[in-house]
Amino acid sequence: MATAAANVGDTAKRPADERPDQPYPDIDVRGEKRTAPTARQLRAARELDGAGVRWGRFGTPRLVSPQGKGALTAASDADPGTVALNHVRDHADLYGLSAAELSALEVVKSYRTKHNGLRHVFIGQADPSGVPVNGGRLSVAVDKHGRIVTVAGSLVPEVPGAHTSDAARLDRKAAIDRAAASVGTVDPSGTVTAARVTFPLAGDGARPAWRTTLTAGNGHVYDTVVDAGNGEILLRNDLTHNEGPQGRVFTGQNPNAGGAAVVPFAGLGRSWVDGRVTTGNNAEVSQNLDGGEALGYQPQTPAAGDPAYQHFNYTFTDAFRTSGGTDLTTDRDPVVTQAFYL
């Protein structure tokens, strides 16, 4: 950090590491550091009616899901965005945010998945000065009856306003140069983006930063967060490995051992998937309710050319168990995908 701070004025034209044909590793300066939920939050979680809570890095829920019933909330005719925001604000003790932080939350994106009618509402968080909090976002799944099915993501309590003239000395161009140099690139090709963010440090305040995306000389796309004060790389994720076939699956022994994650459906340099359905070089998986040997129902992604081609990213709601064993179709996409992964 001392070296980076001393060279803040340098636009970092020299690549930090010359490996033009190799991917660069992901970086997170926070490591495994976490903040524990407070006693008040834990009490609020226990008081939730028929819901399970898994905690994230910042001591706030990263997943709230129904346990023993089909949804977290009752049916509603309200706009899905309003339903989502009201849920978070009605459970202030659970999420650990102040009244001011709750009132600053807003819906930043919303879309509906046709196959199951779920509306996915994304709630964004900003610091007191209005700068987005990096990673401060919730994804709320609202079904066609206006009921919340799951809440995933993280919010960050007590984030200070980090962007001041003294703290944020790097401008947009200098931040892009730093991000490019960290992946061995002088002049990144294609589209380059950069936006101001506040980067929370899991209990140690926050840093003013720039979040950039760019294509490096090795052809990989990197999402990089650069400290706006000293140019340090705070976070870097290689997005290229997520551009191929993938699926949202549980990688542990069972769903209770950890949340689902999006993982590549490829290995040893080749894809597991032949086309748009769960058929590949090693398995052909479907749901067949009549017990016959014919191929049954398979999840189907959009056609080639669509950004979601071969992306089997479905949310598991545990509908079979919560329905008492009568609902065999709500989760068929994630269940068949899980079997294909295994």
Side-chain angles (χ1 to χ4, degrees):
M1 288 183 63
T3 301
N7 294 328
V8 152
D10 184 358
T11 56
K13 288 292 186 182
R14 294 180 302 278
D17 189 2
E18 293 285 358
R19 297 185 302 168
D21 299 322
Q22 298 295 321
Y24 289 78
D26 290 350
I27 293 173
D28 189 337
V29 296
R30 297 167 299 197
E32 298 300 319
K33 188 168 186 178
R34 300 170 65 88
T35 299
T38 66
R40 188 174 186 176
Q41 288 175 281
L42 292 172
R43 183 169 59 253
R46 290 192 297 268
E47 293 172 352
L48 283 176
D49 182 21
V53 178
R54 293 176 184 154
W55 301 96
R57 176 193 293 272
F58 302 106
T60 55
R62 67 174 175 85
L63 178 66
V64 182
S65 58
Q67 305 290 308
K69 61 179 185 178
L72 294 171
T73 60
S76 173
D77 293 329
D79 174 77
T82 300
V83 171
L85 286 171
N86 284 345
H87 166 76
V88 180
R89 291 168 180 168
D90 289 344
H91 295 86
D93 287 350
L94 175 67
Y95 289 96
L97 302 187
S98 67
E101 290 171 326
L102 289 168
S103 64
L105 298 176
E106 62 178 356
V107 174
V108 296
K109 182 180 179 182
S110 176
Y111 69 89
R112 178 179 175 274
T113 49
K114 293 181 180 179
H115 74 280
N116 59 12
L118 282 179
R119 171 68 63 173
H120 300 272
V121 179
F122 294 87
I123 297 174
Q125 181 182 8
D127 74 9
S129 62
V131 176
V133 175
N134 194 78
R137 176 177 284 204
L138 291 181
S139 173
V140 184
V142 183
D143 70 14
K144 60 185 178 181
H145 302 295
R147 303 177 304 176
I148 292 179
V149 178
T150 57
V151 182
S154 288
L155 297 176
V156 189
E158 300 180 356
V159 178
H163 279 266
T164 65
S165 57
D166 291 336
R169 290 176 285 170
L170 264 68
D171 61 16
R172 181 181 185 277
K173 183 179 183 305
I176 292 172
D177 286 342
R178 293 277 176 176
S182 80
V183 289
T185 303
V186 175
D187 296 311
S189 61
T191 301
V192 177
T193 68
R196 291 197 307 162
V197 295
T198 292
F199 185 79
L201 293 171
D204 292 332
R207 293 296 302 161
W210 289 90
R211 181 178 180 179
T212 72
T213 58
L214 56 84
T215 302
N218 61 10
H220 287 228
V221 178
Y222 292 92
D223 178 2
T224 307
V225 178
V226 181
D227 191 310
N230 59 27
E232 181 185 10
I233 304 301
L234 301 173
L235 186 73
R236 184 175 69 207
N237 290 311
D238 185 346
L239 302 181
T240 302
H241 62 79
N242 287 332
E243 293 181 348
Q246 61 180 227
R248 182 181 297 278
V249 296
F250 294 95
T251 58
Q253 292 291 331
N254 60 69
N256 294 324
V262 175
V263 301
F265 276 8
L268 298 179
R270 63 181 298 187
S271 169
W272 301 344
V273 189
D274 288 342
R276 300 169 60 187
V277 297
T278 46
T279 293
N281 64 329
N282 196 45
E284 188 172 51
V285 182
S286 69
Q287 181 195 57
N288 192 330
L289 297 179
D290 63 16
E293 295 184 2
L295 192 65
Y297 173 84
Q298 292 182 291
Q300 180 170 288
T301 73
D306 189 291
Y309 174 60
Q310 294 189 334
H311 286 197
F312 299 87
N313 300 341
Y314 308 111
T315 299
F316 178 69
T317 67
D318 208 7
F320 177 80
R321 182 175 64 84
T322 57
S323 68
T326 61
D327 188 341
L328 302 176
T329 58
T330 295
D331 283 330
R332 59 185 180 178
D333 286 342
V335 168
V336 174
T337 297
Q338 182 75 34
F340 183 74
Y341 168 74
L342 295 174

